[in-house]
Amino acid sequence: MKVIIQMRDAIARQVKDGSQQVNLMGWFSRAALEFIGRGGLGHSFGSLEDEKSSEYCETVASIR
């Protein structure tokens, strides 16, 4: 549940200055990474802590 709350808070910070487009697929991908990391590996990748991508996320995106 903590991952969902972190995602909600991060999106709220992104739109605090007014309405704008939000890339929900990007946020869902970050949340999925956190679920896998915390649930399966016992490690947080910090993907929901700020709007910038983590090094791991950038590496995975470059593989596509």
Side-chain angles (χ1 to χ4, degrees):
M1 229 22 206
K2 187 176 179 183
V3 172
I4 300 299
I5 293 169
Q6 282 183 300
M7 185 174 76
R8 178 201 65 196
D9 293 345
I11 293 171
R13 282 191 305 271
Q14 184 178 354
V15 298
K16 72 178 178 181
D17 296 328
S19 76
Q20 59 178 301
Q21 282 190 333
V22 176
N23 179 0
L24 289 179
M25 286 306 293
W27 285 109
F28 292 150
S29 296
R30 291 175 179 217
L33 177 63
E34 278 303 302
F35 279 124
I36 293 167
R38 292 179 188 185
L41 304 173
H43 173 73
S44 172
F45 291 104
S47 60
L48 297 172
E49 294 176 6
D50 58 20
E51 294 180 26
K52 293 174 19 179
S53 295
S54 69
E55 184 177 338
Y56 178 81
C57 290
E58 290 175 8
T59 302
V60 169
S62 71
I63 294 173
R64 293 184 209 176

